[in-house]
Amino acid sequence: MPETEKETEPEFTSDPESWEYSLYIPNDPRAVTVSRRTLRLILTVHGLIGLVDVAELLAAELVSNAVRHTKGPAALRVRWSAGVLRIGAWDADPQPPEPPQELGQLIDSEDGRGLGMVRACSDLWGWQPLSRFGNRGKFVWCELRAAA
């Protein structure tokens, strides 16, 4: 997955309990199911079963947006460090995502609920443009904190 020239996220390599996975996916709606099942397996193996249901929902929304609204490949990135799970989707479109609306405003809407759900169900969310070696795109992410 392309990354910015200057890393904007903190380094997690000093924490021996930290880990990270990236799953590169084609522009195919079936990639959403593959991503959900892969994430479930990763979290189960790492003993984070309590985060699985919400994490699956969030990953499905992020990957679905990446596949549905762009034409190129995408990637799911999952990172655990210091009790925080970061889930993100990279895609090749540098355009920022539409700002999420409050879920209450979207009750009758057929579209546009994805980032609203991400905002409502995560502890923190955001996006950042990415470019490296001529590749452009964006990374939309959210975080879940483990219960103490």
Side-chain angles (χ1 to χ4, degrees):
M1 166 175 36
E3 295 190 20
T4 56
E5 298 296 336
K6 229 178 202 180
E7 184 71 26
T8 58
E9 299 177 60
E11 284 295 321
F12 292 98
T13 55
S14 61
D15 180 359
E17 300 297 316
S18 295
W19 46 261
E20 182 176 321
Y21 294 86
S22 294
L23 175 65
Y24 297 90
I25 54 178
N27 190 289
D28 182 331
R30 295 172 291 192
V32 176
T33 301
V34 171
S35 297
R36 286 179 67 138
R37 291 181 179 169
T38 302
L39 178 62
R40 176 172 284 276
L41 179 61
I42 290 167
L43 295 179
T44 300
V45 167
H46 284 284
L48 297 171
I49 194 72
L51 296 177
V52 167
D53 292 333
V54 174
E56 265 190 312
L57 171 71
L58 297 173
E61 291 301 333
L62 295 175
V63 170
S64 177
N65 283 347
V67 170
R68 185 173 178 202
H69 299 294
T70 67
K71 294 182 169 93
L76 172 68
R77 185 173 171 189
V78 183
R79 176 185 283 179
W80 172 260
S81 182
V84 176
L85 180 68
R86 178 174 277 203
I87 304 163
W90 168 82
D91 65 58
D93 183 359
Q95 291 295 103
E98 291 291 322
Q101 295 182 19
E102 294 289 333
L103 286 182
Q105 298 173 348
L106 298 168
I107 291 174
D108 296 326
S109 177
E110 300 262 334
D111 284 332
R113 291 188 299 260
L115 280 181
M117 288 183 9
V118 169
R119 180 176 147 189
C121 296
S122 65
D123 294 310
L124 187 64
W125 83 277
W127 79 277
Q128 62 193 68
L130 300 176
S131 66
R132 190 172 190 185
F133 306 122
N135 295 320
R136 302 193 61 168
K138 68 179 167 295
F139 184 65
V140 182
W141 55 268
C142 62
E143 291 182 349
L144 293 174
R145 289 183 181 81

